[in-house]
């Protein structure tokens, strides 16, 4: 059935290291996932509605515990989201949809997840399409850009002063750069914060810097390992100040396998979307 504005839509607000999502149990078909784009854009608006980096719909699947439909704040559908996957796994466990060890279907493939209280570990799909040391011109300067697909495409740039980096300005230029056409890319800037690696991400679909990006953290960790800057497990401090841990076997491009992403996922509140939350 299609969404009707007079419906009240139950939802849960969750966050994974500052990457926040609206989670909706859609197993009974309350929403038509193919026709919910206006709802996604309107509900994800900050200050005018709930506000979120994306919306996750949980749906039935005959082969695994459930499947998801994941939509970015601009209503584009994404193949994968690491922090979203950790949040939806905890939600499914808390609500009896799945056991503490579970599998669920995404457009990127089947994800394995393990929940231990608020700490959630997911096994990512195998990374692919590694490219290293590509010089890309942005606003008259040449940037050394590395890239990998960790469920969605990511570019990685190492910087000397991560706090001073123009993440939005450079990120927007690279996200739409012809070398990443037609799909575009997420853009990650990796540097040092004390003894740790730190990462800041411009997210495709959100079209802004987010406080954390799980697939981006994985991309940054794998590229850092391939460049000899880190070894598994790699702790990456997100711009929200919380570290995510990436564990994997191998460290040279396509040889990398068994990639795990570990970090906290929190349930913030539950409520109902009303027609007034969805006004344009």
């Amino acid at each position: 059935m299609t969404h009707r504005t007079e419906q009240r839509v139950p939802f849960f607000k969750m966050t994974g290291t500052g990457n926040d999502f609206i989670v909706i149990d859609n197993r009974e078909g309350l929403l038509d996932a193919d026709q919910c784009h206006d709802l996604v854009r309107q509900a994800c608006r900050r200050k005018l509605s709930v506000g979120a980096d994306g919306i996750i719909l949980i749906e039935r699947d005959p082969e695994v515990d459930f499947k998801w439909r994941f939509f970015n704040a601009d209503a584009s559908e994404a193949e994968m989201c690491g922090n979203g996957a950790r949040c939806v796994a905890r939600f499914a466990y808390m609500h009896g949809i799945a056991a503490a060890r579970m599998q669920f279907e995404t457009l990127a493939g089947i994800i394995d997840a393990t929940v231990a209280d608020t700490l959630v570990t997911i096994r990512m799909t195998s990374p692919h399409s590694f490219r290293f040391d590509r010089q890309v011109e942005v606003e008259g300067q040449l940037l050394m850009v590395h890239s990998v697909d960790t469920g969605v495409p990511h570019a990685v740039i190492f910087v000397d002063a991560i706090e001073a980096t123009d993440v939005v300005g450079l990120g927007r230029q690279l996200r739409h750069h012809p070398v990443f056409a037609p799909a575009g890319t997420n853009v990650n800037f990796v540097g040092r914060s004390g003894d740790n690696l730190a990462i800041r991400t411009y997210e495709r679909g959100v079209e802004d810097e987010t406080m954390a990006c799980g697939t981006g953290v994985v991309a940054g960790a794998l590229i850092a390992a391939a460049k000899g800057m880190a070894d598994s497990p790699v702790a990456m401090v997100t711009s929200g100040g919380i570290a995510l841990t990436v564990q994997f076997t191998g460290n040279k491009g396509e040889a990398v396998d068994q990639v795990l992403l570990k970090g906290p996922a929190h349930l913030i509140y539950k409520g109902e979307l009303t027609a007034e939350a969805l006004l344009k």
Side-chain angles (χ1 to χ4, degrees):
M1 63 185 293
T2 58
H3 172 69
R4 296 173 300 177
T5 55
E6 66 267 22
Q7 285 178 306
R8 289 178 176 265
V9 181
F11 74 92
F12 293 76
K13 184 69 179 293
M14 300 194 71
T15 183
T17 56
N19 214 182
D20 60 339
F21 309 98
I22 297 167
V23 181
I24 297 172
D25 184 352
N26 200 44
R27 290 176 296 160
E28 301 304 322
L30 176 65
L31 303 176
D32 182 342
D34 294 323
Q35 302 294 327
C36 70
H37 299 88
D38 284 346
L39 179 148
V40 171
R41 282 187 288 265
Q42 292 155 22
C44 287
R45 297 172 301 169
R46 300 191 186 277
K47 299 185 179 181
L48 294 173
S49 191
V50 177
D53 291 327
I55 284 184
I56 301 169
L57 303 183
I58 295 178
E59 301 193 334
R60 297 188 187 277
D61 190 287
E63 304 296 329
V64 290
D65 291 297
F66 61 92
K67 72 176 180 180
W68 82 359
R69 298 287 296 271
F70 180 90
F71 297 92
N72 291 309
D74 68 356
S76 60
E77 189 166 5
E79 299 89 342
M80 178 55 185
C81 173
N83 287 325
R86 293 188 305 98
C87 285
V88 81
R90 183 159 185 244
F91 177 94
Y93 174 64
M94 291 175 67
H95 292 85
I97 298 170
R101 292 181 179 271
M102 71 188 75
Q103 290 187 320
F104 60 95
E105 181 76 43
T106 73
L107 291 180
I110 293 175
I111 301 299
D112 294 310
T114 303
V115 180
D117 195 15
T118 62
L119 197 63
V120 182
T121 302
I122 60 171
R123 182 176 63 81
M124 306 288 289
T125 55
S126 296
H128 61 89
S129 304
F130 283 87
R131 288 199 62 174
F132 299 99
D133 306 315
R134 179 166 24 172
Q135 288 192 324
V136 178
E137 185 175 352
V138 176
E139 296 182 343
Q141 62 177 316
L142 284 177
L143 299 177
M144 188 65 73
V145 181
H146 319 282
S147 58
V148 60
D149 192 309
T150 56
V152 287
H154 280 276
V156 176
I157 301 99
F158 294 103
V159 296
D160 292 328
I162 191 165
E163 293 299 330
T165 300
D166 182 9
V167 171
V168 173
L170 292 174
R172 185 170 291 137
Q173 293 291 322
L174 283 164
R175 180 259 187 272
H176 294 287
H177 199 281
V179 301
F180 298 112
T185 187
N186 300 279
V187 185
N188 306 274
F189 300 89
V190 176
R192 290 283 179 183
S193 178
D195 295 330
N196 298 312
L197 286 174
I199 187 167
R200 297 175 65 188
T201 301
Y202 181 92
E203 279 205 55
R204 182 186 68 165
V206 179
E207 306 308 333
D208 203 350
E209 181 178 5
T210 55
M211 291 183 70
C213 173
T215 53
V217 164
V218 172
L222 296 183
I223 296 293
K227 302 298 289 183
M229 299 171 59
D231 294 303
S232 177
V234 183
M236 301 282 288
V237 180
T238 66
S239 58
I242 303 171
L244 289 168
T245 301
V246 182
Q247 185 176 332
F248 49 91
T249 61
N251 67 353
K252 297 298 180 184
E254 306 293 347
V256 170
D257 198 10
Q258 300 298 316
V259 181
L260 303 178
L261 175 66
K262 182 178 182 179
H266 294 110
L267 173 63
I268 306 304
Y269 60 86
K270 62 181 180 179
E272 291 181 329
L273 286 170
T274 71
E276 293 181 31
L278 305 176
L279 293 175
K280 293 183 179 181

